[in-house]
Amino acid sequence: MITRTFVLAGIVAAVVAASPAFAQGKLNVVTSTEDLASIAREVGGDKISVTALARGFQDPHFVEPKPSFILAVNRADLYIAVGRELEIGWLPPLLTSSRNAKIQPGARGYLDASLNVRILEIPTGQITRAMGDVHPLGNPHYWLEPGNGRLIAQAIRNKLTELAPADKAYFAQRYDDFDKRLAAAEMRWDGIMAPFKGTKVVTYHRSWPNFMARFGLEVVGYVEPKPGIPPSPSHTLDLVEEMKRSNIKMIVVEPYFSLKTPQAIAAQVPGAKVLILAPSVGGVKEVTDYIQLFDYNVNLLSGALKQIAGK
Ligand SMILES: [Zn+2]
């Protein structure tokens, strides 16, 4: 880690010296994920330029930092993080070596998007990583609930207004427009998902508690024994038994995990189906913004559940 930070810092020094002021007149916003970038674009419009670091088809817990990341962060006026330690493995060294005081945690140009949203699975006992749990501060996949998307947009509106007060009315109007379109979309999604309330599903990683709870579905098991821990034969066996016992036929998988274990499980549970949903904007090609993310997942999931039910 030390070596990598040192190398990245060297690259910054070399390139920053050679680069002219970037995107003049616009706030330079860098986000950890494409979801946050999409919501920032909704609110910031053409007053900001936005760069997302992690791609939507990557596991956001484990992102390989690239030299381009550090250049982007070096030039940022605002950094928006998912928080809850989602990026603990890659973001802190990146921020440090960016040599940008404006966007360090605690500075005005750093926004932790998790601070005013609904967080599930907050641990009650002693917090420990000893078991490999990558969710020590509650579930960090909270953006997969449209209500949280709205709260993230509010936090971004407030932060952009703080950084560029002259554009307050512009950001307010953009937020209101996003809020309206999101509310209309939520009615659509609720209608599509209504017949499947109470359905029990299994997911690979704990990416979906907010999403499933929002639409009344219940996640009753995980292919991973713990968040961040790969499948094990004994856990897989237990899961197969549980799925048979509880008549669960849906296994949702994120695009960055191997299908081997989910397919082996599905093969042992009569009628079970493996479905790859997009946990982020950019998770699949056709999902290019936050509202499309839910359109895609709601349509795919409802279609698959309909098939399973034989409707
Ligand atoms: Zn996770």
Side-chain angles (χ1 to χ4, degrees):
M1 196 61 90
I2 288 168
T3 310
R4 175 185 291 156
T5 304
F6 179 76
V7 171
L8 288 173
I11 292 166
V12 166
V15 179
V16 168
S19 67
F22 183 70
Q24 265 182 349
K26 291 189 183 195
L27 280 177
N28 242 322
V29 179
V30 178
T31 66
S32 288
T33 63
E34 296 196 56
D35 312 287
L36 295 177
S38 172
I39 297 172
R41 276 186 203 103
E42 294 281 5
V43 180
D46 57 15
K47 303 288 184 189
I48 67 174
S49 71
V50 188
T51 307
L53 298 184
R55 302 263 70 91
F57 51 80
Q58 293 179 302
D59 184 341
H61 289 289
F62 305 102
V63 177
E64 187 65 34
K66 295 191 284 191
S68 63
F69 288 8
I70 207 150
L71 295 175
V73 177
N74 174 266
R75 295 162 175 160
D77 300 303
L78 172 61
Y79 190 92
I80 309 174
V82 175
R84 300 279 158 173
E85 297 204 348
L86 179 89
E87 309 102 320
I88 192 81
W90 56 275
L91 184 59
L94 188 60
L95 294 180
T96 304
S97 47
S98 74
R99 301 185 176 183
N100 182 351
K102 281 193 293 190
I103 51 77
Q104 300 301 316
R108 272 178 87 214
Y110 181 86
L111 177 63
D112 178 338
S114 75
L115 293 183
N116 69 336
V117 301
R118 188 163 84 111
I119 299 292
L120 302 177
E121 301 174 354
I122 293 178
T124 46
Q126 194 192 353
I127 293 169
T128 172
R129 289 182 172 278
M131 298 296 286
D133 193 337
V134 292
H135 295 170
L137 301 181
N139 194 293
H141 302 272
Y142 58 82
W143 66 86
L144 282 161
E145 176 179 338
N148 277 346
R150 180 177 287 109
L151 295 172
I152 296 166
Q154 285 171 14
I156 292 175
R157 176 198 61 194
N158 296 347
K159 181 52 81 177
L160 291 176
T161 302
E162 184 191 333
L163 296 175
D167 294 319
K168 179 179 179 174
Y170 178 83
F171 298 137
Q173 180 270 318
R174 299 268 319 180
Y175 167 79
D176 290 346
D177 179 64
F178 173 65
D179 175 39
K180 280 199 195 83
R181 282 182 289 118
L182 187 61
E186 282 186 275
M187 288 181 63
R188 184 166 78 234
W189 301 328
D190 284 339
I192 296 171
M193 291 303 291
F196 308 107
K197 277 209 172 108
T199 303
K200 293 176 175 171
V201 302
V202 162
T203 70
Y204 195 111
H205 180 75
R206 287 182 183 249
S207 307
W208 307 96
N210 288 85
F211 180 90
M212 296 300 176
R214 172 64 182 74
F215 297 110
L217 276 67
E218 201 184 332
V219 188
V220 294
Y222 307 92
V223 176
E224 288 180 329
K226 273 188 172 291
I229 299 292
S232 69
S234 66
H235 177 74
T236 299
L237 207 62
D238 290 346
L239 193 57
V240 167
E241 288 314 309
E242 168 66 18
M243 288 181 71
K244 284 181 181 166
R245 198 166 45 236
S246 304
N247 198 28
I248 299 164
K249 300 198 187 307
M250 171 59 68
I251 307 172
V252 170
V253 182
E254 297 79 356
Y256 35 80
F257 290 119
S258 163
L259 289 173
K260 200 176 141 216
T261 306
Q263 280 168 346
I265 294 169
Q268 295 172 72
V269 179
K273 203 175 165 61
V274 175
L275 185 69
I276 301 173
L277 294 184
S280 278
V281 173
V284 293
K285 239 191 0 250
E286 52 265 60
V287 176
T288 59
D289 70 35
Y290 186 74
I291 289 178
Q292 281 176 16
L293 176 64
F294 291 89
D295 275 329
Y296 179 84
N297 287 327
V298 162
N299 286 332
L300 209 58
L301 181 59
S302 62
L305 291 174
K306 224 178 262 177
Q307 245 182 32
I308 285 173
K311 283 177 193 165

